[in-house]
């Protein structure tokens, strides 16, 4: 089954991005596909390559990048929400791309399910 | 339909709204801070108990473990892992997150 | 990545799904009402069966008589009136949410359909995609 | 002491906690989404009304205006602007934000 | 800017204020418990009169038997035990918050003083600086 | 009177930063001083110079920078919270500086009041 995901909160401050990642990884392990994760609201803050979490903590941004590399997950950051919050191409981590809200609606149409994670 | 609730019922109103809108036979999955509502002794447990007549209540095990609440889960609440969360999403025809 | 995009394009043509946007937050305290509206407006271009529902504090989004000058932010309440021009005409509010806040239809900036909680629950259960804030 | 509440009382529990901890003679200022609690017809208004016997309730006017709620304010609630907010902070020996 | 810093340094020597850190949020769902602890540990270096209080869902921060492996985040619950080593010894929990969650002192990872709501309110009213999450 | 401020949420997603700014500006207009604003938790996201809000909207970051320039307000971003969220010296807007949590405690000690704005 194709499962689309929306993430509405940034890394670390809320558990939303952690839960979304663990859900996505387990969905893929079970043989489903996660064609796209759409980052909206403060969720756009998951895409910056500038984060440096403590050594003994998980790296939320890198985990998303690796999921994109290993499983072809399309990580889309909303352009309008990103501009409001200072997310630009210059600081984008690998695997993320900036595009419009239409990509969220498209994921809703083309995936069998759309699951939202937020505050 | 699968209703997903992620906030503590002693802090916010989202569990109450989800239960009000959950039709007979639908499922409610508690994740993140929402899992506290499915534990013995919480004032929120009364809401879960009365809802169980009409809907199936699930709670995410890893979130219960992380909060030291695994041994306190109410009878009748089914504990699932992330794989079980995925199954719930695929088995129901749609899902809604009560943020 | 482009493989996945191709994959997504497959059965996309001509599909009409039931999309519901659930508004549960008051305006201004958080951005969800404003950024939620932006998704709804975009969704209009995809020829889907779109409805917007307002429950809990979400009903406060539709209040008349807003003046945002003092907090120095945009007043986007008039955008709800523009939805009709985008063929977004299915607006529902939950009666219990209105009652709990002392509001009636006369207080709202747009025409809406008022549903009781059971009707709202049934409407939600019929949807294919529910996006909630 | 000045207690500052910024969340809607129909969404979260922070107003209730602030009122529980507000000692006689202290002040409670409602800002942002918390101002709805000070409006006529809200189920939260009952909490404000019963609290007014012991504490002074203030609401931030610009936040009421932005939410179309200025004409609905409960009798006995004092409406202040940002300058009045500053005065409340300086007139009380300490303040606490109930986030 | 450096002027202001000088300005702030003025009467700073030897002042002892009553600092209270109010914890109202459950752990893990948000970062407030963890980042709140970081402030408390730093405050120990300033020789102030520091107290930590746990009310509402904040009491969940102190629960025994935590295992965070499944959600792949750090278990910081043991840090509460380290507070004593920083001379942070005034830990208070509100009885009503414990009762509403079915918790007793035996469920907690550290020794605390249990106060009723009126005692907690009086303690808060005595503070100079209250930092709340 | 000296009034210190803590901001715990980022720009636009929550009203906290707006309310804090309007409070600070009014305090200064009334003759008080605001020696320091400390940005903690997601509040560190107020300090990035990369935000580009819509033309007809307020610019939250620039307003803080201007307040610092006009009135010598010390805008301090928590280093640990900033590292977790990708706030580095390279993207810091004018008037902001990165420092430790001790600066928050110091503001509590040295100011007559400390007011927190968050979610």
């Amino acid at each position: 089954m194709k499962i689309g995901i929306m993430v509405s909160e940034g890394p670390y401050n809320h558990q939303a991005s952690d839960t979304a990642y663990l859900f996505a990884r387990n969905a893929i392990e079970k043989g489903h596909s996660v064609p796209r994760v759409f980052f909206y609201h403060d969720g756009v803050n998951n895409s910056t390559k500038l984060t440096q979490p403590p050594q003994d903590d998980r790296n939320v941004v890198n985990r998303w990048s690796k999921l994109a590399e290993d499983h072809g997950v399309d990580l889309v950051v909303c352009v309008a929400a990103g501009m409001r919050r200072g997310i630009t191409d210059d600081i984008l981590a690998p695997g993320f791309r900036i595009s419009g809200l239409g990509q969220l609606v498209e994921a809703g149409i083309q995936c069998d399910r759309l699951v939202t994670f937020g505050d | 339909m699968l209703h997903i609730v992620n906030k503590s019922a002693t802090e916010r109103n989202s569990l109450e709204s989800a239960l009000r809108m959950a039709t007979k036979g639908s499922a409610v999955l508690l994740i993140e801070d929402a899992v506290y509502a499915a534990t013995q002794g919480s004032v929120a447990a009364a809401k879960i108990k009365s809802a169980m007549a009409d809907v199936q209540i699930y709670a995410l095990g890893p979130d219960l473990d992380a909060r030291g609440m695994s041994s306190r889960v109410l009878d009748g609440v089914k504990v699932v892992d992330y794989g079980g969360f995925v199954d719930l999403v695929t088995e129901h025809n749609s899902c809604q997150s009560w943020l | 990545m482009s493989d996945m995009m191709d994959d997504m394009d497959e059965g996309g043509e001509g599909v009409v799904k039931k999309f519901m946007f659930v508004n549960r937050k008051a305006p201004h305290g958080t951005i969800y009402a404003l950024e939620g509206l932006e998704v709804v407006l975009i969704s209009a271009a995809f020829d889907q069966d779109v409805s917007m529902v307002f429950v809990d504090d979400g009903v406060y989004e539709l209040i008349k008589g807003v003046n945002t000058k003092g907090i120095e932010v945009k007043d986007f309440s008039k955008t709800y009136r523009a939805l009709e021009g985008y063929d977004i005409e299915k607006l529902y509010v939950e009666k219990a949410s209105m009652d709990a806040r002392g509001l009636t239809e006369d207080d709202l900036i747009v025409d809406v359909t008022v549903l009781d909680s059971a009707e709202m629950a049934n409407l939600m259960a019929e949807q294919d995609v529910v996006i909630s804030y």
Side-chain angles (χ1 to χ4, degrees), chain A residues 9 36 40-41 110-111, chain C residues 4-5 8 17 32 35:
Chain A
E9 281 294 336
R36 181 172 292 157
Y40 197 39
H41 306 304
Q110 298 182 353
C111 291
Chain C
M4 274 299 149
M5 293 308 297
M8 291 194 69
K17 283 191 172 181
Y32 303 110
E35 287 191 335

Side-chain angles (χ1 to χ4, degrees), chain C residues 89 91-94 105 111-115 120:
Chain C
E89 290 169 334
L91 306 186
Y92 303 96
V93 301
E94 188 203 21
E105 282 182 75
D111 289 335
V112 296
T113 304
V114 179
L115 300 181
M120 185 67 89

Side-chain angles (χ1 to χ4, degrees), chain B residues 9-81:
Chain B
T10 44
E11 190 204 11
R12 302 207 198 179
N13 71 341
S14 57
L15 175 65
E16 208 165 295
S17 296
L19 294 177
R20 195 170 75 237
M21 300 285 169
T23 52
K24 205 173 167 73
S26 60
V28 176
L29 170 63
L30 308 175
I31 67 171
E32 300 179 358
D33 290 344
V35 298
Y36 292 114
T39 61
Q40 293 155 24
S42 166
V43 290
K47 290 172 188 161
I48 296 294
K49 282 178 191 165
S50 73
M52 280 197 285
D54 289 327
V55 301
Q56 180 66 55
I57 307 284
Y58 298 87
L60 195 58
D63 278 322
L64 285 161
D65 294 342
R67 288 161 181 80
M69 287 285 146
S70 299
S71 62
R72 296 167 181 263
V73 181
L74 293 174
D75 289 341
V77 173
K78 290 192 186 159
V79 177
V80 297
D81 59 10

